[in-house]
Amino acid sequence: MSRETILICDDEPSLRELMRIALDGEYVFEEAASAAEAVERVRELRPDLVLLDVMMPGGSGLEALAEIRADAGLQETRVVIVSAFSSESDQQSALAAGATAFVSKPFDPDDLAAVVEDVLGRND
């Protein structure tokens, strides 16, 4: 079985590293540090999953998500919002915008891994 590609989109290098560690190297990781770069990398890589922060330079993660959802070839891309903006209304806004799932920051590494496995269908 080939390893799935996960695009980690966060402007904080330490958080991108923490996500890679939490997911235990079972995946191929790519990174983006801004909303614009996130959209560009999704178009280029067609990753199996995108972990997307909301607050990033060059626009919000929700704006990036809207661009991804507006592209007919990317509409099925699985996107998990990982954000410190984690009120019930923030989570509902992310899901309404087309997010597949939502993880609050700070996150428990085991919880992040469980959400990723669930979204990728590894818990079947």
Side-chain angles (χ1 to χ4, degrees), residues 74-111:
L74 301 175
Q75 289 177 347
E76 299 302 314
T77 303
R78 293 169 281 202
V79 178
V80 175
I81 296 292
V82 183
S83 178
F85 293 97
S86 58
S87 71
E88 185 67 30
S89 65
D90 291 327
Q91 292 181 37
Q92 291 303 320
S93 294
L95 296 172
T100 309
F102 190 99
V103 174
S104 299
K105 285 183 187 174
F107 56 84
D108 178 292
D110 291 336
D111 291 344

PDB file of all heavy atoms in Angstrom, residues 74-111:
ATOM      1  N   LEU A  74     -10.697  19.755  -7.311  1.00  0.00           N
ATOM      2  CA  LEU A  74     -10.228  19.612  -5.929  1.00  0.00           C
ATOM      3  C   LEU A  74     -11.367  19.477  -4.922  1.00  0.00           C
ATOM      4  O   LEU A  74     -11.118  19.372  -3.723  1.00  0.00           O
ATOM      5  CB  LEU A  74      -9.370  20.826  -5.536  1.00  0.00           C
ATOM      6  CG  LEU A  74      -8.136  21.082  -6.390  1.00  0.00           C
ATOM      7  CD1 LEU A  74      -7.462  22.374  -5.967  1.00  0.00           C
ATOM      8  CD2 LEU A  74      -7.181  19.912  -6.325  1.00  0.00           C
ATOM      9  N   GLN A  75     -12.594  19.481  -5.379  1.00  0.00           N
ATOM     10  CA  GLN A  75     -13.736  19.508  -4.468  1.00  0.00           C
ATOM     11  C   GLN A  75     -13.774  18.328  -3.507  1.00  0.00           C
ATOM     12  O   GLN A  75     -14.311  18.445  -2.415  1.00  0.00           O
ATOM     13  CB  GLN A  75     -15.045  19.588  -5.252  1.00  0.00           C
ATOM     14  CG  GLN A  75     -15.220  20.937  -5.895  1.00  0.00           C
ATOM     15  CD  GLN A  75     -16.470  21.033  -6.731  1.00  0.00           C
ATOM     16  OE1 GLN A  75     -17.114  20.043  -7.044  1.00  0.00           O
ATOM     17  NE2 GLN A  75     -16.808  22.251  -7.110  1.00  0.00           N
ATOM     18  N   GLU A  76     -13.202  17.202  -3.882  1.00  0.00           N
ATOM     19  CA  GLU A  76     -13.218  16.017  -3.017  1.00  0.00           C
ATOM     20  C   GLU A  76     -12.014  15.948  -2.082  1.00  0.00           C
ATOM     21  O   GLU A  76     -11.890  15.010  -1.302  1.00  0.00           O
ATOM     22  CB  GLU A  76     -13.294  14.740  -3.864  1.00  0.00           C
ATOM     23  CG  GLU A  76     -14.546  14.659  -4.729  1.00  0.00           C
ATOM     24  CD  GLU A  76     -15.830  14.722  -3.917  1.00  0.00           C
ATOM     25  OE1 GLU A  76     -15.920  14.020  -2.891  1.00  0.00           O
ATOM     26  OE2 GLU A  76     -16.738  15.475  -4.315  1.00  0.00           O
ATOM     27  N   THR A  77     -11.118  16.929  -2.157  1.00  0.00           N
ATOM     28  CA  THR A  77      -9.940  16.941  -1.293  1.00  0.00           C
ATOM     29  C   THR A  77     -10.372  17.004   0.174  1.00  0.00           C
ATOM     30  O   THR A  77     -11.182  17.844   0.554  1.00  0.00           O
ATOM     31  CB  THR A  77      -9.044  18.156  -1.618  1.00  0.00           C
ATOM     32  OG1 THR A  77      -8.681  18.099  -3.001  1.00  0.00           O
ATOM     33  CG2 THR A  77      -7.790  18.160  -0.756  1.00  0.00           C
ATOM     34  N   ARG A  78      -9.823  16.105   0.965  1.00  0.00           N
ATOM     35  CA  ARG A  78     -10.148  16.088   2.397  1.00  0.00           C
ATOM     36  C   ARG A  78      -9.301  17.132   3.116  1.00  0.00           C
ATOM     37  O   ARG A  78      -8.078  17.125   2.998  1.00  0.00           O
ATOM     38  CB  ARG A  78      -9.905  14.694   2.965  1.00  0.00           C
ATOM     39  CG  ARG A  78     -10.892  13.672   2.370  1.00  0.00           C
ATOM     40  CD  ARG A  78     -10.513  12.278   2.708  1.00  0.00           C
ATOM     41  NE  ARG A  78      -9.422  11.869   1.816  1.00  0.00           N
ATOM     42  CZ  ARG A  78      -9.112  10.610   1.542  1.00  0.00           C
ATOM     43  NH1 ARG A  78      -9.774   9.625   2.106  1.00  0.00           N
ATOM     44  NH2 ARG A  78      -8.128  10.321   0.740  1.00  0.00           N
ATOM     45  N   VAL A  79      -9.995  18.022   3.843  1.00  0.00           N
ATOM     46  CA  VAL A  79      -9.341  19.136   4.526  1.00  0.00           C
ATOM     47  C   VAL A  79      -9.757  19.125   5.991  1.00  0.00           C
ATOM     48  O   VAL A  79     -10.946  19.188   6.302  1.00  0.00           O
ATOM     49  CB  VAL A  79      -9.709  20.492   3.890  1.00  0.00           C
ATOM     50  CG1 VAL A  79      -9.051  21.641   4.667  1.00  0.00           C
ATOM     51  CG2 VAL A  79      -9.315  20.535   2.422  1.00  0.00           C
ATOM     52  N   VAL A  80      -8.764  19.049   6.872  1.00  0.00           N
ATOM     53  CA  VAL A  80      -9.005  19.147   8.313  1.00  0.00           C
ATOM     54  C   VAL A  80      -8.489  20.508   8.764  1.00  0.00           C
ATOM     55  O   VAL A  80      -7.305  20.820   8.590  1.00  0.00           O
ATOM     56  CB  VAL A  80      -8.293  18.011   9.092  1.00  0.00           C
ATOM     57  CG1 VAL A  80      -8.455  18.213  10.596  1.00  0.00           C
ATOM     58  CG2 VAL A  80      -8.827  16.652   8.661  1.00  0.00           C
ATOM     59  N   ILE A  81      -9.385  21.317   9.312  1.00  0.00           N
ATOM     60  CA  ILE A  81      -8.985  22.605   9.872  1.00  0.00           C
ATOM     61  C   ILE A  81      -8.375  22.344  11.246  1.00  0.00           C
ATOM     62  O   ILE A  81      -8.963  21.632  12.068  1.00  0.00           O
ATOM     63  CB  ILE A  81     -10.186  23.563   9.997  1.00  0.00           C
ATOM     64  CG1 ILE A  81     -10.770  23.901   8.618  1.00  0.00           C
ATOM     65  CG2 ILE A  81      -9.798  24.826  10.767  1.00  0.00           C
ATOM     66  CD1 ILE A  81      -9.872  24.749   7.734  1.00  0.00           C
ATOM     67  N   VAL A  82      -7.180  22.907  11.479  1.00  0.00           N
ATOM     68  CA  VAL A  82      -6.499  22.807  12.773  1.00  0.00           C
ATOM     69  C   VAL A  82      -6.295  24.243  13.239  1.00  0.00           C
ATOM     70  O   VAL A  82      -5.471  24.957  12.682  1.00  0.00           O
ATOM     71  CB  VAL A  82      -5.151  22.064  12.645  1.00  0.00           C
ATOM     72  CG1 VAL A  82      -4.503  21.917  14.008  1.00  0.00           C
ATOM     73  CG2 VAL A  82      -5.336  20.703  11.981  1.00  0.00           C
ATOM     74  N   SER A  83      -7.087  24.658  14.254  1.00  0.00           N
ATOM     75  CA  SER A  83      -7.101  26.074  14.593  1.00  0.00           C
ATOM     76  C   SER A  83      -7.290  26.339  16.081  1.00  0.00           C
ATOM     77  O   SER A  83      -7.985  25.589  16.765  1.00  0.00           O
ATOM     78  CB  SER A  83      -8.234  26.771  13.829  1.00  0.00           C
ATOM     79  OG  SER A  83      -8.309  28.135  14.164  1.00  0.00           O
ATOM     80  N   ALA A  84      -6.682  27.442  16.525  1.00  0.00           N
ATOM     81  CA  ALA A  84      -6.901  27.909  17.895  1.00  0.00           C
ATOM     82  C   ALA A  84      -8.256  28.590  18.026  1.00  0.00           C
ATOM     83  O   ALA A  84      -8.779  28.738  19.117  1.00  0.00           O
ATOM     84  CB  ALA A  84      -5.791  28.884  18.297  1.00  0.00           C
ATOM     85  N   PHE A  85      -8.830  29.010  16.907  1.00  0.00           N
ATOM     86  CA  PHE A  85     -10.189  29.554  16.901  1.00  0.00           C
ATOM     87  C   PHE A  85     -11.124  28.353  16.911  1.00  0.00           C
ATOM     88  O   PHE A  85     -11.444  27.791  15.873  1.00  0.00           O
ATOM     89  CB  PHE A  85     -10.432  30.422  15.669  1.00  0.00           C
ATOM     90  CG  PHE A  85      -9.618  31.672  15.682  1.00  0.00           C
ATOM     91  CD1 PHE A  85      -8.424  31.737  14.997  1.00  0.00           C
ATOM     92  CD2 PHE A  85     -10.048  32.780  16.397  1.00  0.00           C
ATOM     93  CE1 PHE A  85      -7.654  32.888  15.017  1.00  0.00           C
ATOM     94  CE2 PHE A  85      -9.283  33.936  16.429  1.00  0.00           C
ATOM     95  CZ  PHE A  85      -8.087  33.999  15.740  1.00  0.00           C
ATOM     96  N   SER A  86     -11.532  27.952  18.128  1.00  0.00           N
ATOM     97  CA  SER A  86     -12.188  26.656  18.252  1.00  0.00           C
ATOM     98  C   SER A  86     -13.533  26.693  18.973  1.00  0.00           C
ATOM     99  O   SER A  86     -13.988  25.686  19.487  1.00  0.00           O
ATOM    100  CB  SER A  86     -11.253  25.676  18.958  1.00  0.00           C
ATOM    101  OG  SER A  86     -10.901  26.185  20.229  1.00  0.00           O
ATOM    102  N   SER A  87     -14.171  27.856  18.970  1.00  0.00           N
ATOM    103  CA  SER A  87     -15.509  27.915  19.552  1.00  0.00           C
ATOM    104  C   SER A  87     -16.452  27.068  18.700  1.00  0.00           C
ATOM    105  O   SER A  87     -16.124  26.701  17.558  1.00  0.00           O
ATOM    106  CB  SER A  87     -16.013  29.356  19.606  1.00  0.00           C
ATOM    107  OG  SER A  87     -16.315  29.815  18.296  1.00  0.00           O
ATOM    108  N   GLU A  88     -17.611  26.787  19.227  1.00  0.00           N
ATOM    109  CA  GLU A  88     -18.597  26.007  18.463  1.00  0.00           C
ATOM    110  C   GLU A  88     -18.920  26.700  17.141  1.00  0.00           C
ATOM    111  O   GLU A  88     -19.012  26.057  16.102  1.00  0.00           O
ATOM    112  CB  GLU A  88     -19.871  25.822  19.296  1.00  0.00           C
ATOM    113  CG  GLU A  88     -20.899  24.929  18.646  1.00  0.00           C
ATOM    114  CD  GLU A  88     -20.467  23.469  18.524  1.00  0.00           C
ATOM    115  OE1 GLU A  88     -19.691  22.990  19.370  1.00  0.00           O
ATOM    116  OE2 GLU A  88     -20.908  22.801  17.577  1.00  0.00           O
ATOM    117  N   SER A  89     -19.054  28.028  17.165  1.00  0.00           N
ATOM    118  CA  SER A  89     -19.375  28.744  15.925  1.00  0.00           C
ATOM    119  C   SER A  89     -18.197  28.706  14.940  1.00  0.00           C
ATOM    120  O   SER A  89     -18.410  28.616  13.728  1.00  0.00           O
ATOM    121  CB  SER A  89     -19.802  30.186  16.205  1.00  0.00           C
ATOM    122  OG  SER A  89     -18.743  30.934  16.746  1.00  0.00           O
ATOM    123  N   ASP A  90     -16.955  28.761  15.453  1.00  0.00           N
ATOM    124  CA  ASP A  90     -15.789  28.643  14.567  1.00  0.00           C
ATOM    125  C   ASP A  90     -15.776  27.276  13.891  1.00  0.00           C
ATOM    126  O   ASP A  90     -15.523  27.160  12.692  1.00  0.00           O
ATOM    127  CB  ASP A  90     -14.478  28.827  15.345  1.00  0.00           C
ATOM    128  CG  ASP A  90     -14.274  30.247  15.847  1.00  0.00           C
ATOM    129  OD1 ASP A  90     -14.704  31.190  15.168  1.00  0.00           O
ATOM    130  OD2 ASP A  90     -13.673  30.393  16.931  1.00  0.00           O
ATOM    131  N   GLN A  91     -16.047  26.240  14.664  1.00  0.00           N
ATOM    132  CA  GLN A  91     -16.070  24.885  14.109  1.00  0.00           C
ATOM    133  C   GLN A  91     -17.186  24.743  13.081  1.00  0.00           C
ATOM    134  O   GLN A  91     -16.966  24.178  12.005  1.00  0.00           O
ATOM    135  CB  GLN A  91     -16.228  23.856  15.225  1.00  0.00           C
ATOM    136  CG  GLN A  91     -15.015  23.788  16.127  1.00  0.00           C
ATOM    137  CD  GLN A  91     -15.143  22.753  17.222  1.00  0.00           C
ATOM    138  OE1 GLN A  91     -15.708  21.690  17.008  1.00  0.00           O
ATOM    139  NE2 GLN A  91     -14.622  23.069  18.397  1.00  0.00           N
ATOM    140  N   GLN A  92     -18.359  25.271  13.392  1.00  0.00           N
ATOM    141  CA  GLN A  92     -19.480  25.190  12.452  1.00  0.00           C
ATOM    142  C   GLN A  92     -19.178  25.964  11.173  1.00  0.00           C
ATOM    143  O   GLN A  92     -19.523  25.511  10.080  1.00  0.00           O
ATOM    144  CB  GLN A  92     -20.772  25.701  13.112  1.00  0.00           C
ATOM    145  CG  GLN A  92     -21.296  24.795  14.206  1.00  0.00           C
ATOM    146  CD  GLN A  92     -21.547  23.370  13.720  1.00  0.00           C
ATOM    147  OE1 GLN A  92     -22.041  23.151  12.623  1.00  0.00           O
ATOM    148  NE2 GLN A  92     -21.169  22.397  14.531  1.00  0.00           N
ATOM    149  N   SER A  93     -18.519  27.120  11.299  1.00  0.00           N
ATOM    150  CA  SER A  93     -18.148  27.903  10.114  1.00  0.00           C
ATOM    151  C   SER A  93     -17.192  27.125   9.223  1.00  0.00           C
ATOM    152  O   SER A  93     -17.329  27.127   7.998  1.00  0.00           O
ATOM    153  CB  SER A  93     -17.498  29.226  10.519  1.00  0.00           C
ATOM    154  OG  SER A  93     -18.427  30.047  11.181  1.00  0.00           O
ATOM    155  N   ALA A  94     -16.228  26.455   9.847  1.00  0.00           N
ATOM    156  CA  ALA A  94     -15.257  25.669   9.082  1.00  0.00           C
ATOM    157  C   ALA A  94     -15.951  24.512   8.361  1.00  0.00           C
ATOM    158  O   ALA A  94     -15.699  24.258   7.180  1.00  0.00           O
ATOM    159  CB  ALA A  94     -14.156  25.143   9.997  1.00  0.00           C
ATOM    160  N   LEU A  95     -16.819  23.821   9.053  1.00  0.00           N
ATOM    161  CA  LEU A  95     -17.526  22.694   8.434  1.00  0.00           C
ATOM    162  C   LEU A  95     -18.470  23.178   7.337  1.00  0.00           C
ATOM    163  O   LEU A  95     -18.570  22.556   6.278  1.00  0.00           O
ATOM    164  CB  LEU A  95     -18.269  21.879   9.498  1.00  0.00           C
ATOM    165  CG  LEU A  95     -17.355  21.196  10.527  1.00  0.00           C
ATOM    166  CD1 LEU A  95     -18.182  20.566  11.648  1.00  0.00           C
ATOM    167  CD2 LEU A  95     -16.457  20.149   9.868  1.00  0.00           C
ATOM    168  N   ALA A  96     -19.135  24.315   7.565  1.00  0.00           N
ATOM    169  CA  ALA A  96     -20.024  24.880   6.550  1.00  0.00           C
ATOM    170  C   ALA A  96     -19.242  25.318   5.310  1.00  0.00           C
ATOM    171  O   ALA A  96     -19.760  25.264   4.190  1.00  0.00           O
ATOM    172  CB  ALA A  96     -20.802  26.063   7.129  1.00  0.00           C
ATOM    173  N   ALA A  97     -17.986  25.724   5.510  1.00  0.00           N
ATOM    174  CA  ALA A  97     -17.135  26.140   4.395  1.00  0.00           C
ATOM    175  C   ALA A  97     -16.590  24.952   3.603  1.00  0.00           C
ATOM    176  O   ALA A  97     -15.971  25.131   2.561  1.00  0.00           O
ATOM    177  CB  ALA A  97     -15.981  26.999   4.904  1.00  0.00           C
ATOM    178  N   GLY A  98     -16.821  23.743   4.135  1.00  0.00           N
ATOM    179  CA  GLY A  98     -16.389  22.560   3.395  1.00  0.00           C
ATOM    180  C   GLY A  98     -15.303  21.746   4.042  1.00  0.00           C
ATOM    181  O   GLY A  98     -14.787  20.810   3.431  1.00  0.00           O
ATOM    182  N   ALA A  99     -14.936  22.083   5.288  1.00  0.00           N
ATOM    183  CA  ALA A  99     -13.930  21.265   5.978  1.00  0.00           C
ATOM    184  C   ALA A  99     -14.491  19.870   6.230  1.00  0.00           C
ATOM    185  O   ALA A  99     -15.676  19.701   6.498  1.00  0.00           O
ATOM    186  CB  ALA A  99     -13.532  21.918   7.299  1.00  0.00           C
ATOM    187  N   THR A 100     -13.617  18.884   6.149  1.00  0.00           N
ATOM    188  CA  THR A 100     -13.998  17.504   6.415  1.00  0.00           C
ATOM    189  C   THR A 100     -14.107  17.263   7.913  1.00  0.00           C
ATOM    190  O   THR A 100     -14.957  16.502   8.371  1.00  0.00           O
ATOM    191  CB  THR A 100     -12.943  16.553   5.803  1.00  0.00           C
ATOM    192  OG1 THR A 100     -12.733  16.926   4.434  1.00  0.00           O
ATOM    193  CG2 THR A 100     -13.386  15.107   5.880  1.00  0.00           C
ATOM    194  N   ALA A 101     -13.215  17.909   8.678  1.00  0.00           N
ATOM    195  CA  ALA A 101     -13.185  17.752  10.132  1.00  0.00           C
ATOM    196  C   ALA A 101     -12.486  18.974  10.722  1.00  0.00           C
ATOM    197  O   ALA A 101     -11.933  19.807   9.992  1.00  0.00           O
ATOM    198  CB  ALA A 101     -12.463  16.467  10.532  1.00  0.00           C
ATOM    199  N   PHE A 102     -12.500  19.056  12.056  1.00  0.00           N
ATOM    200  CA  PHE A 102     -11.919  20.196  12.769  1.00  0.00           C
ATOM    201  C   PHE A 102     -11.157  19.677  13.982  1.00  0.00           C
ATOM    202  O   PHE A 102     -11.671  18.825  14.709  1.00  0.00           O
ATOM    203  CB  PHE A 102     -13.039  21.142  13.233  1.00  0.00           C
ATOM    204  CG  PHE A 102     -12.548  22.455  13.776  1.00  0.00           C
ATOM    205  CD1 PHE A 102     -12.543  23.584  12.995  1.00  0.00           C
ATOM    206  CD2 PHE A 102     -12.079  22.553  15.084  1.00  0.00           C
ATOM    207  CE1 PHE A 102     -12.090  24.803  13.495  1.00  0.00           C
ATOM    208  CE2 PHE A 102     -11.623  23.755  15.598  1.00  0.00           C
ATOM    209  CZ  PHE A 102     -11.630  24.887  14.795  1.00  0.00           C
ATOM    210  N   VAL A 103      -9.946  20.191  14.187  1.00  0.00           N
ATOM    211  CA  VAL A 103      -9.147  19.864  15.365  1.00  0.00           C
ATOM    212  C   VAL A 103      -8.747  21.186  16.012  1.00  0.00           C
ATOM    213  O   VAL A 103      -8.244  22.090  15.343  1.00  0.00           O
ATOM    214  CB  VAL A 103      -7.885  19.052  14.997  1.00  0.00           C
ATOM    215  CG1 VAL A 103      -6.983  18.856  16.213  1.00  0.00           C
ATOM    216  CG2 VAL A 103      -8.260  17.713  14.376  1.00  0.00           C
ATOM    217  N   SER A 104      -8.982  21.291  17.329  1.00  0.00           N
ATOM    218  CA  SER A 104      -8.658  22.511  18.064  1.00  0.00           C
ATOM    219  C   SER A 104      -7.191  22.529  18.474  1.00  0.00           C
ATOM    220  O   SER A 104      -6.636  21.503  18.845  1.00  0.00           O
ATOM    221  CB  SER A 104      -9.510  22.601  19.332  1.00  0.00           C
ATOM    222  OG  SER A 104     -10.870  22.646  19.004  1.00  0.00           O
ATOM    223  N   LYS A 105      -6.590  23.728  18.421  1.00  0.00           N
ATOM    224  CA  LYS A 105      -5.258  23.945  18.971  1.00  0.00           C
ATOM    225  C   LYS A 105      -5.414  24.506  20.369  1.00  0.00           C
ATOM    226  O   LYS A 105      -6.305  25.326  20.574  1.00  0.00           O
ATOM    227  CB  LYS A 105      -4.477  24.967  18.134  1.00  0.00           C
ATOM    228  CG  LYS A 105      -3.961  24.492  16.823  1.00  0.00           C
ATOM    229  CD  LYS A 105      -3.174  25.638  16.210  1.00  0.00           C
ATOM    230  CE  LYS A 105      -2.714  25.376  14.814  1.00  0.00           C
ATOM    231  NZ  LYS A 105      -2.079  26.567  14.235  1.00  0.00           N
ATOM    232  N   PRO A 106      -4.568  24.176  21.301  1.00  0.00           N
ATOM    233  CA  PRO A 106      -3.535  23.153  21.163  1.00  0.00           C
ATOM    234  C   PRO A 106      -4.195  21.786  21.078  1.00  0.00           C
ATOM    235  O   PRO A 106      -5.231  21.541  21.691  1.00  0.00           O
ATOM    236  CB  PRO A 106      -2.713  23.302  22.448  1.00  0.00           C
ATOM    237  CG  PRO A 106      -3.648  23.917  23.440  1.00  0.00           C
ATOM    238  CD  PRO A 106      -4.615  24.760  22.648  1.00  0.00           C
ATOM    239  N   PHE A 107      -3.584  20.915  20.302  1.00  0.00           N
ATOM    240  CA  PHE A 107      -4.169  19.593  20.094  1.00  0.00           C
ATOM    241  C   PHE A 107      -3.386  18.525  20.824  1.00  0.00           C
ATOM    242  O   PHE A 107      -2.190  18.665  21.060  1.00  0.00           O
ATOM    243  CB  PHE A 107      -4.261  19.247  18.603  1.00  0.00           C
ATOM    244  CG  PHE A 107      -2.949  19.313  17.879  1.00  0.00           C
ATOM    245  CD1 PHE A 107      -2.068  18.237  17.887  1.00  0.00           C
ATOM    246  CD2 PHE A 107      -2.578  20.456  17.192  1.00  0.00           C
ATOM    247  CE1 PHE A 107      -0.859  18.296  17.231  1.00  0.00           C
ATOM    248  CE2 PHE A 107      -1.358  20.527  16.528  1.00  0.00           C
ATOM    249  CZ  PHE A 107      -0.500  19.447  16.553  1.00  0.00           C
ATOM    250  N   ASP A 108      -4.089  17.476  21.176  1.00  0.00           N
ATOM    251  CA  ASP A 108      -3.451  16.282  21.720  1.00  0.00           C
ATOM    252  C   ASP A 108      -2.948  15.481  20.514  1.00  0.00           C
ATOM    253  O   ASP A 108      -3.732  15.209  19.600  1.00  0.00           O
ATOM    254  CB  ASP A 108      -4.476  15.480  22.524  1.00  0.00           C
ATOM    255  CG  ASP A 108      -3.888  14.200  23.070  1.00  0.00           C
ATOM    256  OD1 ASP A 108      -3.574  13.289  22.263  1.00  0.00           O
ATOM    257  OD2 ASP A 108      -3.769  14.097  24.305  1.00  0.00           O
ATOM    258  N   PRO A 109      -1.676  15.111  20.470  1.00  0.00           N
ATOM    259  CA  PRO A 109      -1.150  14.379  19.316  1.00  0.00           C
ATOM    260  C   PRO A 109      -1.948  13.111  18.984  1.00  0.00           C
ATOM    261  O   PRO A 109      -2.165  12.806  17.810  1.00  0.00           O
ATOM    262  CB  PRO A 109       0.293  14.054  19.714  1.00  0.00           C
ATOM    263  CG  PRO A 109       0.653  15.141  20.680  1.00  0.00           C
ATOM    264  CD  PRO A 109      -0.612  15.424  21.437  1.00  0.00           C
ATOM    265  N   ASP A 110      -2.401  12.402  20.014  1.00  0.00           N
ATOM    266  CA  ASP A 110      -3.192  11.190  19.763  1.00  0.00           C
ATOM    267  C   ASP A 110      -4.532  11.523  19.127  1.00  0.00           C
ATOM    268  O   ASP A 110      -5.022  10.784  18.269  1.00  0.00           O
ATOM    269  CB  ASP A 110      -3.408  10.404  21.059  1.00  0.00           C
ATOM    270  CG  ASP A 110      -2.120   9.786  21.584  1.00  0.00           C
ATOM    271  OD1 ASP A 110      -1.185   9.554  20.779  1.00  0.00           O
ATOM    272  OD2 ASP A 110      -2.033   9.559  22.808  1.00  0.00           O
ATOM    273  N   ASP A 111      -5.135  12.642  19.548  1.00  0.00           N
ATOM    274  CA  ASP A 111      -6.409  13.055  18.957  1.00  0.00           C
ATOM    275  C   ASP A 111      -6.229  13.442  17.490  1.00  0.00           C
ATOM    276  O   ASP A 111      -7.056  13.093  16.643  1.00  0.00           O
ATOM    277  CB  ASP A 111      -7.014  14.231  19.726  1.00  0.00           C
ATOM    278  CG  ASP A 111      -7.491  13.836  21.122  1.00  0.00           C
ATOM    279  OD1 ASP A 111      -7.646  12.623  21.392  1.00  0.00           O
ATOM    280  OD2 ASP A 111      -7.705  14.750  21.947  1.00  0.00           O
TER     281      ASP A 111
END
